[in-house]
Amino acid sequence: MDKSRMLIEHYFNMWLTKNRLNIDDIFTSTVHYVECYGAEYYGINELKQWMDHKFKHQTVTQWFIENIYHDDNIYTVEWIFACIDRGKSFKFDGISLITFKDGKIAEIKEFESKHKHYRPYK
C-alpha cells in the first residue's frame, strides 16, 4: 500500500478513535478542507480546532472506505459515514477529493449523497 493511502486511512480512523495524534504528519500546515455541508477550514490550526470541537459532541460510528482511486497526487475516496451528534444519528455516503503535496494532504473537498437509495422507475 502506498504512503498516501495509508495517510488517508489513518485520517479516517482518527474520527473513529477521537485521537488526532500525528495530525501534523498527515496534513500540510496550509491545508484547505471543505466539508460537504459548506464549512471550510484553512490551515492546520483551524483543522485541529474543528476536530477538537467535534470530538466533544460527536461520535463517529462508521467511516468505511469503499474505494480509492488516484491519478498522480489526486485521490478520490468513496465512503460511507455514520455518527451520533448531540443525540441524533446521521448516515450518508460521500466522496472526498484529496490532493497531496510533498507527501502530505494539502486539500480535501467532500461531497455528500443520501445513504438510502431508491429506484423511482422500477
Side-chain angles (χ1 to χ4, degrees), residues 50-109:
W50 164 60
M51 290 177 78
D52 289 343
H53 174 78
K54 283 298 215 184
F55 288 170
K56 290 178 184 171
H57 62 83
Q58 182 186 75
T59 298
V60 175
T61 56
Q62 177 186 26
W63 205 1
F64 175 73
I65 295 172
E66 291 189 303
N67 291 298
I68 298 179
Y69 311 96
H70 78 94
D71 183 22
D72 196 28
N73 65 333
I74 299 174
Y75 285 70
T76 303
V77 183
E78 292 180 284
W79 42 262
I80 300 170
F81 179 87
C83 73
I84 299 169
D85 194 323
R86 295 183 175 116
K88 288 185 169 184
S89 294
F90 298 92
K91 187 170 189 176
F92 55 92
D93 298 345
I95 290 179
S96 293
L97 297 177
I98 302 175
T99 304
F100 281 82
K101 182 179 178 184
D102 300 325
K104 294 183 179 184
I105 297 173
E107 183 173 58
I108 296 180
K109 292 180 179 178

